[in-house]
């Protein structure tokens, strides 16, 4: 018996290398679907006009935490077209990379409404391109327990109650356009 453990979870569905997940689907497939989809290959999750609204994947049953996108390995998020992720469960995040790094790139757009954090990584978060618009009014929008490095892209992170971008170490903006609004630090 071969047991395959998914590398990444998208909208509650486990994805392995070479899997596609169509918008609204609850199972993966190995052929490219028509319309919007998520595709996972070689550590890169491509969102191509993908949309999801809901709880996502329950990664911690003790504290009842859910994530729209969850990974325990380094994850590169490649954005194509217009993508929308909405986390509907309180105290949960939109994207959580558990114990690893998150890199965002591409020339597409990600619009997100998290219930908790929008982009969260236990290590570095690097933005190399794309447009990321996150709106949250109860928590920090971008959180890294490593560094936050913005090399390119358009980043809009709004938070009225806490810091818009928080890094345990450094926040470095080398390029791109960053709008980060916050009234207090996390």
């Amino acid at each position: 018996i071969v047991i395959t453990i998914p590398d990444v979870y998208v909208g509650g569905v486990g994805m392995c290398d070479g899997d596609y997940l169509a918008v609204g689907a609850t199972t993966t497939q190995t052929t490219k679907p028509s319309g919007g989809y998520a595709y996972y290959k070689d550590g890169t999750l491509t969102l191509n006009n993908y949309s999801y609204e809901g709880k996502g994947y329950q990664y911690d049953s003790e504290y009842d935490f859910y994530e729209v996108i969850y990974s325990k390995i380094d994850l590169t998020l490649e954005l194509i077209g217009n993508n929308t992720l909405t986390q509907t469960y309180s105290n949960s995040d939109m994207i959580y990379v558990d114990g690893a790094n998150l890199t965002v790139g591409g020339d597409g757009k990600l619009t997100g409404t998290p219930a908790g954090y929008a982009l969260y990584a236990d290590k570095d978060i690097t933005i190399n391109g794309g447009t990321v618009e996150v709106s949250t009014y109860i928590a920090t929008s971008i959180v890294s327990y490593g560094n936050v490095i913005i090399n390119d892209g358009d980043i809009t992170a709004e938070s009225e109650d806490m810091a818009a971008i928080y890094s345990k170490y450094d926040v470095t903006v080398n390029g791109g356009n960053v709008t980060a609004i916050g009234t207090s630090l996390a």
Side-chain angles (χ1 to χ4, degrees), residues 52-68:
Y52 176 83
E53 181 174 349
K55 285 183 180 181
Y57 170 70
Q58 184 179 29
Y59 79 95
D60 185 327
S61 59
E62 180 181 357
Y63 294 104
D64 201 29
F65 288 141
Y66 289 81
E67 307 299 332
V68 174

Side-chain angles (χ1 to χ4, degrees), residues 45-184:
L45 176 65
T46 300
L47 298 182
N48 186 336
N49 293 307
Y50 183 78
S51 62
Y52 176 83
E53 181 174 349
K55 285 183 180 181
Y57 170 70
Q58 184 179 29
Y59 79 95
D60 185 327
S61 59
E62 180 181 357
Y63 294 104
D64 201 29
F65 288 141
Y66 289 81
E67 307 299 332
V68 174
I69 295 176
Y70 176 82
S71 176
K72 286 191 77 126
I73 62 172
D74 287 349
L75 182 67
T76 298
L77 186 64
E78 187 74 16
L79 302 174
I80 300 172
N82 292 314
N83 304 278
T84 305
L85 302 177
T86 303
Q87 169 56 265
T88 61
Y89 195 69
S90 63
N91 297 324
S92 295
D93 308 323
M94 190 174 75
I95 299 172
Y96 178 31
V97 180
D98 189 354
N101 299 299
L102 172 62
T103 302
V104 178
D107 59 6
K109 181 178 181 179
L110 173 62
T111 303
T113 306
Y117 303 138
L119 307 177
Y120 182 103
D122 287 333
K123 293 188 178 177
D124 293 348
I125 295 176
T126 303
I127 309 292
N128 290 326
T131 299
V132 178
E133 292 180 351
V134 292
S135 177
T136 181
Y137 298 99
I138 60 170
T140 307
S141 297
I142 297 174
V143 176
S144 168
Y145 278 85
N147 299 295
V148 173
I149 303 127
I150 301 171
N151 294 317
D152 197 5
D154 295 313
I155 310 301
T156 302
E158 295 182 33
S159 178
E160 292 182 352
D161 295 332
M162 297 179 82
I165 298 174
Y166 172 80
S167 174
K168 183 174 181 180
Y169 298 110
D170 295 319
V171 174
T172 304
V173 178
N174 296 318
N177 298 306
V178 179
T179 303
I181 302 166
T183 58
S184 64

